[in-house]
Amino acid sequence: MNRINISMSNRPVHSIPRGELWLGTDLLKRAGYTDTLENHFRLVDQLGQDMICLPIADDTSHRPVLGYRYFDCRDLNQATRNRDRFVAAVVDGPFQELTNRMGLMAVLTGWVQKRPEMARAYAVEQTKVLELISGCLDQGVHAVVIAEDLAADQGLLMSPTDIGTLCSSFYTRAVPIIHEANARAFLHSCGNITQLITLIKTWQVDGLASVQHRANDLPGLRNALGSSLVIMAGIDAELLASDDPRPDVLKDFENLITSLAPGGGLILSSSCGLYSGDFFERIQRIYAMADRLVED
């Protein structure tokens, strides 16, 4: 946990801390484990990761099957009790909950055609998510990652103004609640979120988690958001997709590590989650590559 705290304070560490938002059931199987809480800890130890992230939900009936399990908020007590490990709860935000329940196109068209009704539906989800975050904080987590897919590779799913109108009421409540519990607030979104820079600044999150470098230019994104911002990312899907990544993909990774790692504030993580068992050996090779880059 100490290496994570040092890096989050934007101080350099000997090797880059590591973590993952999502560890898939198939990855655990490749390592010889069933998908239990204790085995998540065993896998994190085996991979040399410095933090454990647990997706948390109080209702999984409407969620898509993505290859990883959700834990109950009560599991966090066992995860945080008497363990020297940085523990983060990963919670779907209100926008993500709406899209899980209704489908993305229904949410987007509803915002255009029936805005008051969609705003009320969002408010219902907001209340539920805030209660879930409070429950996670009561169990002593060190961070909360709010997962909201607000963009695709080409850009935002809605205009920055519409995202601010719909979502800012949640973030201006959730982030202070997290900070009051002496925990860190992270935001995850897929896709290109560069148009949200001004809005994200107002939300006052501590870091971005599992964001794509190729879609965003992570060094540029951190420069725009402030040097104290923690980046939990760096391994794009292309780097994990093959045992022999293309030279341009390897070069991008090298440039990213040499740019972000020296001053701290970087936690090495994939942007896509470690779902596939094929990723087990690949992620270890990527970690070794990152260590060599830092040593050089």
Side-chain angles (χ1 to χ4, degrees), residues 17-257:
R18 306 158 181 172
E20 278 294 330
L21 294 194
W22 302 286
L23 297 175
T25 300
D26 192 49
L27 186 81
L28 284 151
K29 183 178 179 181
R30 174 66 67 89
Y33 301 127
T34 54
D35 196 344
T36 67
L37 179 62
E38 285 300 322
N39 284 339
H40 273 252
F41 275 91
R42 292 186 178 99
L43 181 59
V44 163
D45 286 337
Q46 186 171 342
L47 292 174
Q49 295 177 352
D50 299 275
M51 63 189 297
I52 186 164
C53 301
L54 299 175
I56 303 297
D58 54 9
D59 177 14
T60 61
S61 60
H62 60 281
R63 287 177 168 78
V65 177
L66 297 173
Y68 61 86
R69 67 169 291 185
Y70 282 88
F71 290 87
D72 189 275
C73 191
R74 291 167 294 184
D75 292 317
L76 290 171
N77 181 263
Q78 182 182 353
T80 58
R81 187 175 62 242
N82 301 322
R83 298 180 192 262
D84 184 24
R85 179 76 66 182
F86 191 98
V87 178
V90 184
V91 175
D92 285 348
F95 182 83
Q96 193 65 45
E97 289 284 19
L98 272 183
T99 60
N100 288 342
R101 292 180 184 276
M102 299 176 58
L104 176 60
M105 292 309 300
V107 171
L108 297 181
T109 57
W111 181 247
V112 173
Q113 299 172 0
K114 300 178 180 180
R115 186 164 298 193
E117 291 90 337
M118 192 57 59
R120 286 193 291 271
Y122 182 92
V124 170
E125 298 302 334
Q126 173 176 289
T127 298
K128 294 177 183 177
V129 176
L130 288 170
E131 290 175 354
L132 184 60
I133 288 173
S134 295
C136 294
L137 294 169
D138 287 343
Q139 303 302 325
V141 298
H142 305 104
V144 176
V145 181
I146 301 165
E148 301 258 52
D149 287 339
L150 299 170
D153 287 352
Q154 295 74 28
L156 300 178
L157 300 177
M158 303 164 64
S159 73
T161 299
D162 283 341
I163 289 175
T165 300
L166 183 62
C167 301
S168 284
S169 62
F170 167 73
Y171 285 94
T172 55
R173 293 180 63 185
V175 174
I177 289 171
I178 295 167
H179 288 164
E180 286 167 9
N182 295 315
R184 304 270 187 156
F186 282 76
L187 171 66
H188 160 74
S189 176
C190 291
N192 184 340
I193 58 171
T194 53
Q195 288 183 288
L196 283 184
I197 286 172
T198 300
L199 196 57
I200 291 172
K201 283 183 177 179
T202 69
W203 294 346
Q204 298 186 330
V205 297
D206 301 291
L208 300 176
S210 292
V211 291
Q212 296 157 272
H213 171 51
R214 288 204 161 194
N216 292 286
D217 174 25
L218 292 182
L221 195 60
R222 186 160 77 172
N223 287 340
L225 286 167
S227 59
S228 63
L229 188 85
V230 178
I231 298 290
M232 182 181 174
I235 304 171
D236 276 7
E238 296 93 336
L239 192 60
L240 276 167
S242 168
D243 290 330
D244 187 21
R246 300 191 316 267
D248 64 307
V249 173
L250 293 171
K251 187 62 177 178
D252 270 359
F253 181 69
E254 178 181 342
N255 291 339
L256 179 66
I257 295 302

